Amino acid sequence: MAAKVTRLLLRLLRPLWRIRRLALSTEVLFWWKWLREPRSSKLRAELLDPAQPLAPEIVDVVDRLGGARVRILEVGAGPLTTIGQRHPAREVAIEIVSTDVLAPTYARLLRRRGMTPVVPTVYADAERLTETFALGSFDVVFAGNCVDHMERPILAIEQMLEVVRAGGSVLLVHFIDEGKKQDYAGLHAWNLREENGTLIVANDRERIDVGEHFAGRAEVLARVRGELVIAELRKR
C-alpha cells in the first residue's frame, strides 16, 4: 500500500520535479546524505585512495588506444571521481579532469566533511563542453549515470565527441532504462538501452538511435553487463 501511495505522489509531483533547478537540488541532497552515511564509509575510503585502479571498462579503452599517456575527461562526476586513478597492470601516465555542473556545491560539501578528493571536480556543463575545453583535447571522455539526467542528451554526447581526439573514445556507462524505472521523476528524464549492438536514448516522447545519429562521425558499440548498458563511441 505504501509503495502505491509513493508512486501516486511522485506522479502528482512530476511537473514540479521536471523544474530542473528543483531536480538538481535532489541530486545535492543525495550526495549530502551519502557523504554522511556510515554504511558508505568503505566506498568513500576507496574513492579517496590515489591507488584506486581504473574501472575495467576504461582499462579496455586505454589498452585499445595504447600509448604511455592518456588524458581522460569525466563528465557528471559528482563530488568524487568513481573511475579510479591508475592502470592496474602497466605504467601509464593518467591525467583525469573530473567535471560536474554542481561542482561548486560539491566542493562545499566535501570541505564541511573534511574530505580532500584525489581529483577535484571542476565546473563544466556537459551540454557546453567546448566552452571550457579545446576541441580534441582528450583521449577518452567518460560519463557514468548522468546522460539520462540531461535536458538534451544527444547534444551532450555531441559535445563529448567534440572534445575527444580522432581515434579516441566516448564511453557511456548507465543503468538500463533508468528514466522509466524512476517514473521520470527528478533528473531521470531519459532511458539508455542497447538494441542490436547500438545505443538507444529514449523517453516517453522521443527515441534516438545514437549509431544512426552519429553515423560517419563515430562507430557506436553497445553491450549489456548485468543492469548496465556500456556504450563506446569511437571517433573517426
Side-chain angles (χ1 to χ4, degrees):
M1 180 68 178
K4 289 183 179 179
V5 171
T6 299
R7 284 196 296 271
L8 177 60
L9 286 172
L10 286 173
R11 200 166 289 119
L12 292 173
L13 291 170
R14 186 186 295 171
L16 288 177
W17 290 126
R18 284 183 173 169
I19 299 172
R20 189 159 182 81
R21 182 171 294 182
L22 181 59
L24 285 170
S25 70
T26 66
E27 193 77 359
V28 174
L29 179 61
F30 168 84
W31 286 111
W32 179 84
K33 292 173 61 180
W34 186 87
L35 289 169
R36 285 163 168 73
E37 287 177 349
R39 63 182 177 178
S40 303
S41 60
K42 182 180 178 181
L43 180 54
R44 285 197 299 268
E46 291 175 356
L47 298 182
L48 291 166
D49 181 2
Q52 186 73 5
L54 286 173
E57 55 270 14
I58 299 179
V59 172
D60 291 342
V61 176
V62 170
D63 286 346
R64 181 182 66 80
L65 296 177
R69 304 182 66 86
V70 63
R71 191 167 190 242
I72 301 172
L73 175 66
E74 183 180 12
V75 176
L80 298 171
T81 179
T82 61
I83 66 174
Q85 287 89 40
R86 65 172 181 86
H87 195 288
R90 64 186 179 91
E91 288 296 322
V92 182
I94 299 169
E95 179 190 355
I96 298 171
V97 179
S98 292
T99 66
D100 199 289
V101 73
L102 291 169
T105 301
Y106 292 147
R108 289 193 294 272
L109 292 181
L110 290 172
R111 281 197 300 271
R112 290 169 187 166
R113 297 298 296 168
M115 297 179 185
T116 303
V118 180
V119 180
T121 301
V122 298
Y123 175 84
D125 185 335
E127 296 176 11
R128 299 177 177 178
L129 291 175
T130 53
E131 294 181 8
T132 306
F133 303 108
L135 301 180
S137 55
F138 293 92
D139 302 294
V140 181
V141 178
F142 174 84
N145 294 319
C146 63
V147 171
D148 57 320
H149 294 178
M150 294 173 187
E151 290 184 278
R152 296 171 292 179
I154 297 301
L155 175 59
I157 296 171
E158 163 80 27
Q159 287 285 287
M160 294 180 210
L161 277 173
E162 288 288 329
V163 299
V164 79
R165 67 170 174 83
S169 287
V170 173
L171 184 63
L172 309 175
V173 179
H174 291 73
F175 287 110
I176 299 168
D177 286 350
E178 192 67 4
K180 183 177 180 181
K181 290 175 186 174
Q182 299 296 334
D183 200 23
Y184 301 104
L187 290 174
H188 301 286
W190 296 87
N191 301 299
L192 278 73
R193 70 175 73 100
E194 179 273 339
E195 289 183 13
N196 300 316
T198 194
L199 178 66
I200 302 298
V201 175
N203 58 20
D204 52 356
R205 304 176 304 280
E206 196 172 354
R207 179 184 183 279
I208 303 108
D209 182 317
V210 175
E212 288 184 1
H213 188 88
F214 292 107
R217 293 193 55 195
E219 179 185 10
V220 180
L221 306 168
R223 68 184 190 277
V224 171
R225 188 184 73 201
E227 297 180 343
L228 297 173
V229 55
I230 301 172
E232 182 182 359
L233 286 76
R234 299 180 179 177
K235 187 174 179 179
R236 300 186 189 282

